[in-house]
PDB file of all heavy atoms in Angstrom:
ATOM      1  N   ASN A 181      -2.488  10.928   1.123  1.00  0.00           N
ATOM      2  CA  ASN A 181      -2.793  11.400   2.476  1.00  0.00           C
ATOM      3  C   ASN A 181      -1.772  12.412   2.967  1.00  0.00           C
ATOM      4  O   ASN A 181      -2.107  13.325   3.730  1.00  0.00           O
ATOM      5  CB  ASN A 181      -2.884  10.210   3.434  1.00  0.00           C
ATOM      6  CG  ASN A 181      -4.068   9.323   3.144  1.00  0.00           C
ATOM      7  OD1 ASN A 181      -5.134   9.811   2.761  1.00  0.00           O
ATOM      8  ND2 ASN A 181      -3.912   8.022   3.296  1.00  0.00           N
ATOM      9  N   VAL A 182      -0.515  12.255   2.553  1.00  0.00           N
ATOM     10  CA  VAL A 182       0.509  13.257   2.877  1.00  0.00           C
ATOM     11  C   VAL A 182       0.107  14.603   2.295  1.00  0.00           C
ATOM     12  O   VAL A 182       0.180  15.644   2.965  1.00  0.00           O
ATOM     13  CB  VAL A 182       1.883  12.823   2.341  1.00  0.00           C
ATOM     14  CG1 VAL A 182       2.910  13.951   2.486  1.00  0.00           C
ATOM     15  CG2 VAL A 182       2.376  11.572   3.057  1.00  0.00           C
ATOM     16  N   ALA A 183      -0.332  14.600   1.030  1.00  0.00           N
ATOM     17  CA  ALA A 183      -0.753  15.844   0.381  1.00  0.00           C
ATOM     18  C   ALA A 183      -1.972  16.446   1.067  1.00  0.00           C
ATOM     19  O   ALA A 183      -2.024  17.657   1.342  1.00  0.00           O
ATOM     20  CB  ALA A 183      -1.055  15.587  -1.090  1.00  0.00           C
ATOM     21  N   ALA A 184      -2.963  15.616   1.352  1.00  0.00           N
ATOM     22  CA  ALA A 184      -4.183  16.118   1.982  1.00  0.00           C
ATOM     23  C   ALA A 184      -3.900  16.706   3.358  1.00  0.00           C
ATOM     24  O   ALA A 184      -4.449  17.753   3.719  1.00  0.00           O
ATOM     25  CB  ALA A 184      -5.211  14.994   2.088  1.00  0.00           C
ATOM     26  N   GLU A 185      -3.045  16.039   4.120  1.00  0.00           N
ATOM     27  CA  GLU A 185      -2.700  16.540   5.440  1.00  0.00           C
ATOM     28  C   GLU A 185      -1.996  17.892   5.344  1.00  0.00           C
ATOM     29  O   GLU A 185      -2.288  18.822   6.120  1.00  0.00           O
ATOM     30  CB  GLU A 185      -1.789  15.527   6.146  1.00  0.00           C
ATOM     31  CG  GLU A 185      -1.261  15.985   7.497  1.00  0.00           C
ATOM     32  CD  GLU A 185      -2.344  16.122   8.552  1.00  0.00           C
ATOM     33  OE1 GLU A 185      -3.422  15.494   8.395  1.00  0.00           O
ATOM     34  OE2 GLU A 185      -2.105  16.859   9.535  1.00  0.00           O
ATOM     35  N   ALA A 186      -1.094  18.037   4.392  1.00  0.00           N
ATOM     36  CA  ALA A 186      -0.384  19.305   4.221  1.00  0.00           C
ATOM     37  C   ALA A 186      -1.333  20.434   3.833  1.00  0.00           C
ATOM     38  O   ALA A 186      -1.083  21.603   4.153  1.00  0.00           O
ATOM     39  CB  ALA A 186       0.709  19.153   3.171  1.00  0.00           C
ATOM     40  N   LEU A 187      -2.423  20.084   3.154  1.00  0.00           N
ATOM     41  CA  LEU A 187      -3.400  21.083   2.710  1.00  0.00           C
ATOM     42  C   LEU A 187      -4.518  21.292   3.726  1.00  0.00           C
ATOM     43  O   LEU A 187      -5.419  22.105   3.499  1.00  0.00           O
ATOM     44  CB  LEU A 187      -3.996  20.660   1.362  1.00  0.00           C
ATOM     45  CG  LEU A 187      -3.012  20.647   0.187  1.00  0.00           C
ATOM     46  CD1 LEU A 187      -3.616  19.894  -1.002  1.00  0.00           C
ATOM     47  CD2 LEU A 187      -2.644  22.063  -0.210  1.00  0.00           C
ATOM     48  N   GLY A 188      -4.475  20.535   4.812  1.00  0.00           N
ATOM     49  CA  GLY A 188      -5.497  20.668   5.842  1.00  0.00           C
ATOM     50  C   GLY A 188      -6.823  20.050   5.478  1.00  0.00           C
ATOM     51  O   GLY A 188      -7.865  20.438   6.011  1.00  0.00           O
ATOM     52  N   GLY A 189      -6.808  19.065   4.590  1.00  0.00           N
ATOM     53  CA  GLY A 189      -8.050  18.435   4.156  1.00  0.00           C
ATOM     54  C   GLY A 189      -7.973  16.924   4.225  1.00  0.00           C
ATOM     55  O   GLY A 189      -7.291  16.356   5.071  1.00  0.00           O
ATOM     56  N   ARG A 190      -8.638  16.268   3.297  1.00  0.00           N
ATOM     57  CA  ARG A 190      -8.646  14.806   3.260  1.00  0.00           C
ATOM     58  C   ARG A 190      -8.672  14.345   1.809  1.00  0.00           C
ATOM     59  O   ARG A 190      -9.050  15.096   0.901  1.00  0.00           O
ATOM     60  CB  ARG A 190      -9.860  14.231   4.002  1.00  0.00           C
ATOM     61  CG  ARG A 190     -11.212  14.637   3.415  1.00  0.00           C
ATOM     62  CD  ARG A 190     -12.367  14.112   4.259  1.00  0.00           C
ATOM     63  NE  ARG A 190     -13.662  14.573   3.782  1.00  0.00           N
ATOM     64  CZ  ARG A 190     -14.396  13.945   2.864  1.00  0.00           C
ATOM     65  NH1 ARG A 190     -13.958  12.820   2.334  1.00  0.00           N
ATOM     66  NH2 ARG A 190     -15.568  14.432   2.499  1.00  0.00           N
ATOM     67  N   ALA A 191      -8.279  13.093   1.614  1.00  0.00           N
ATOM     68  CA  ALA A 191      -8.261  12.499   0.282  1.00  0.00           C
ATOM     69  C   ALA A 191      -9.273  11.365   0.212  1.00  0.00           C
ATOM     70  O   ALA A 191      -9.414  10.579   1.158  1.00  0.00           O
ATOM     71  CB  ALA A 191      -6.868  11.985  -0.059  1.00  0.00           C
ATOM     72  N   GLU A 192      -9.964  11.282  -0.900  1.00  0.00           N
ATOM     73  CA  GLU A 192     -10.859  10.162  -1.202  1.00  0.00           C
ATOM     74  C   GLU A 192     -10.219   9.399  -2.351  1.00  0.00           C
ATOM     75  O   GLU A 192     -10.022   9.940  -3.440  1.00  0.00           O
ATOM     76  CB  GLU A 192     -12.244  10.661  -1.600  1.00  0.00           C
ATOM     77  CG  GLU A 192     -13.009  11.347  -0.487  1.00  0.00           C
ATOM     78  CD  GLU A 192     -13.569  10.359   0.530  1.00  0.00           C
ATOM     79  OE1 GLU A 192     -13.546   9.144   0.263  1.00  0.00           O
ATOM     80  OE2 GLU A 192     -14.044  10.823   1.590  1.00  0.00           O
ATOM     81  N   LEU A 193      -9.878   8.137  -2.102  1.00  0.00           N
ATOM     82  CA  LEU A 193      -9.130   7.344  -3.071  1.00  0.00           C
ATOM     83  C   LEU A 193     -10.031   6.322  -3.757  1.00  0.00           C
ATOM     84  O   LEU A 193     -10.751   5.570  -3.107  1.00  0.00           O
ATOM     85  CB  LEU A 193      -7.981   6.613  -2.382  1.00  0.00           C
ATOM     86  CG  LEU A 193      -7.137   5.693  -3.264  1.00  0.00           C
ATOM     87  CD1 LEU A 193      -6.375   6.486  -4.318  1.00  0.00           C
ATOM     88  CD2 LEU A 193      -6.175   4.868  -2.407  1.00  0.00           C
ATOM     89  N   LEU A 194      -9.966   6.314  -5.077  1.00  0.00           N
ATOM     90  CA  LEU A 194     -10.608   5.278  -5.880  1.00  0.00           C
ATOM     91  C   LEU A 194      -9.495   4.647  -6.714  1.00  0.00           C
ATOM     92  O   LEU A 194      -8.943   5.285  -7.612  1.00  0.00           O
ATOM     93  CB  LEU A 194     -11.679   5.884  -6.799  1.00  0.00           C
ATOM     94  CG  LEU A 194     -12.508   4.917  -7.651  1.00  0.00           C
ATOM     95  CD1 LEU A 194     -13.337   3.992  -6.761  1.00  0.00           C
ATOM     96  CD2 LEU A 194     -13.411   5.676  -8.602  1.00  0.00           C
ATOM     97  N   ALA A 195      -9.130   3.403  -6.389  1.00  0.00           N
ATOM     98  CA  ALA A 195      -7.933   2.819  -6.990  1.00  0.00           C
ATOM     99  C   ALA A 195      -8.016   1.302  -6.958  1.00  0.00           C
ATOM    100  O   ALA A 195      -8.848   0.714  -6.256  1.00  0.00           O
ATOM    101  CB  ALA A 195      -6.683   3.286  -6.240  1.00  0.00           C
ATOM    102  N   GLY A 196      -7.116   0.673  -7.705  1.00  0.00           N
ATOM    103  CA  GLY A 196      -7.043  -0.779  -7.710  1.00  0.00           C
ATOM    104  C   GLY A 196      -5.727  -1.248  -8.286  1.00  0.00           C
ATOM    105  O   GLY A 196      -5.009  -0.498  -8.958  1.00  0.00           O
ATOM    106  N   TYR A 197      -5.388  -2.511  -8.024  1.00  0.00           N
ATOM    107  CA  TYR A 197      -4.170  -3.105  -8.574  1.00  0.00           C
ATOM    108  C   TYR A 197      -4.209  -3.077 -10.101  1.00  0.00           C
ATOM    109  O   TYR A 197      -5.189  -3.485 -10.719  1.00  0.00           O
ATOM    110  CB  TYR A 197      -4.035  -4.558  -8.118  1.00  0.00           C
ATOM    111  CG  TYR A 197      -3.323  -4.733  -6.812  1.00  0.00           C
ATOM    112  CD1 TYR A 197      -4.004  -5.176  -5.681  1.00  0.00           C
ATOM    113  CD2 TYR A 197      -1.958  -4.482  -6.709  1.00  0.00           C
ATOM    114  CE1 TYR A 197      -3.347  -5.363  -4.473  1.00  0.00           C
ATOM    115  CE2 TYR A 197      -1.284  -4.663  -5.508  1.00  0.00           C
ATOM    116  CZ  TYR A 197      -1.990  -5.104  -4.399  1.00  0.00           C
ATOM    117  OH  TYR A 197      -1.326  -5.281  -3.205  1.00  0.00           O
ATOM    118  N   GLY A 198      -3.127  -2.603 -10.703  1.00  0.00           N
ATOM    119  CA  GLY A 198      -3.006  -2.637 -12.153  1.00  0.00           C
ATOM    120  C   GLY A 198      -3.954  -1.730 -12.897  1.00  0.00           C
ATOM    121  O   GLY A 198      -4.098  -1.851 -14.117  1.00  0.00           O
ATOM    122  N   TRP A 199      -4.582  -0.801 -12.191  1.00  0.00           N
ATOM    123  CA  TRP A 199      -5.568   0.047 -12.854  1.00  0.00           C
ATOM    124  C   TRP A 199      -4.923   0.917 -13.929  1.00  0.00           C
ATOM    125  O   TRP A 199      -3.906   1.578 -13.696  1.00  0.00           O
ATOM    126  CB  TRP A 199      -6.270   0.933 -11.833  1.00  0.00           C
ATOM    127  CG  TRP A 199      -7.530   0.321 -11.294  1.00  0.00           C
ATOM    128  CD1 TRP A 199      -7.841  -1.004 -11.232  1.00  0.00           C
ATOM    129  CD2 TRP A 199      -8.645   1.016 -10.729  1.00  0.00           C
ATOM    130  NE1 TRP A 199      -9.072  -1.177 -10.645  1.00  0.00           N
ATOM    131  CE2 TRP A 199      -9.592   0.042 -10.336  1.00  0.00           C
ATOM    132  CE3 TRP A 199      -8.926   2.364 -10.502  1.00  0.00           C
ATOM    133  CZ2 TRP A 199     -10.807   0.376  -9.753  1.00  0.00           C
ATOM    134  CZ3 TRP A 199     -10.135   2.707  -9.907  1.00  0.00           C
ATOM    135  CH2 TRP A 199     -11.068   1.718  -9.544  1.00  0.00           C
ATOM    136  N   THR A 200      -5.548   0.917 -15.085  1.00  0.00           N
ATOM    137  CA  THR A 200      -5.218   1.844 -16.145  1.00  0.00           C
ATOM    138  C   THR A 200      -6.234   2.989 -16.110  1.00  0.00           C
ATOM    139  O   THR A 200      -7.155   2.999 -15.280  1.00  0.00           O
ATOM    140  CB  THR A 200      -5.284   1.160 -17.515  1.00  0.00           C
ATOM    141  OG1 THR A 200      -6.651   0.750 -17.748  1.00  0.00           O
ATOM    142  CG2 THR A 200      -4.372  -0.057 -17.567  1.00  0.00           C
ATOM    143  N   ALA A 201      -6.084   3.939 -17.020  1.00  0.00           N
ATOM    144  CA  ALA A 201      -7.056   5.029 -17.099  1.00  0.00           C
ATOM    145  C   ALA A 201      -8.449   4.497 -17.407  1.00  0.00           C
ATOM    146  O   ALA A 201      -9.448   5.072 -16.963  1.00  0.00           O
ATOM    147  CB  ALA A 201      -6.615   6.038 -18.156  1.00  0.00           C
ATOM    148  N   ARG A 202      -8.529   3.411 -18.149  1.00  0.00           N
ATOM    149  CA  ARG A 202      -9.836   2.831 -18.456  1.00  0.00           C
ATOM    150  C   ARG A 202     -10.497   2.282 -17.201  1.00  0.00           C
ATOM    151  O   ARG A 202     -11.716   2.449 -17.004  1.00  0.00           O
ATOM    152  CB  ARG A 202      -9.691   1.728 -19.509  1.00  0.00           C
ATOM    153  CG  ARG A 202     -11.006   1.032 -19.859  1.00  0.00           C
ATOM    154  CD  ARG A 202     -10.901   0.270 -21.158  1.00  0.00           C
ATOM    155  NE  ARG A 202      -9.771  -0.657 -21.162  1.00  0.00           N
ATOM    156  CZ  ARG A 202      -9.273  -1.209 -22.273  1.00  0.00           C
ATOM    157  NH1 ARG A 202      -9.796  -0.916 -23.449  1.00  0.00           N
ATOM    158  NH2 ARG A 202      -8.260  -2.057 -22.199  1.00  0.00           N
ATOM    159  N   HIS A 203      -9.723   1.634 -16.325  1.00  0.00           N
ATOM    160  CA  HIS A 203     -10.288   1.162 -15.059  1.00  0.00           C
ATOM    161  C   HIS A 203     -10.791   2.338 -14.216  1.00  0.00           C
ATOM    162  O   HIS A 203     -11.823   2.240 -13.544  1.00  0.00           O
ATOM    163  CB  HIS A 203      -9.232   0.377 -14.263  1.00  0.00           C
ATOM    164  CG  HIS A 203      -8.857  -0.925 -14.892  1.00  0.00           C
ATOM    165  ND1 HIS A 203      -7.693  -1.089 -15.604  1.00  0.00           N
ATOM    166  CD2 HIS A 203      -9.480  -2.128 -14.896  1.00  0.00           C
ATOM    167  CE1 HIS A 203      -7.612  -2.340 -16.027  1.00  0.00           C
ATOM    168  NE2 HIS A 203      -8.679  -2.993 -15.615  1.00  0.00           N
TER     169      HIS A 203
END
Side-chain angles (χ1 to χ4, degrees):
N181 293 324
V182 171
E185 175 67 22
L187 294 166
R190 62 184 175 89
E192 293 285 349
L193 178 66
L194 184 64
Y197 272 112
W199 268 25
T200 64
R202 178 163 53 196
H203 292 102

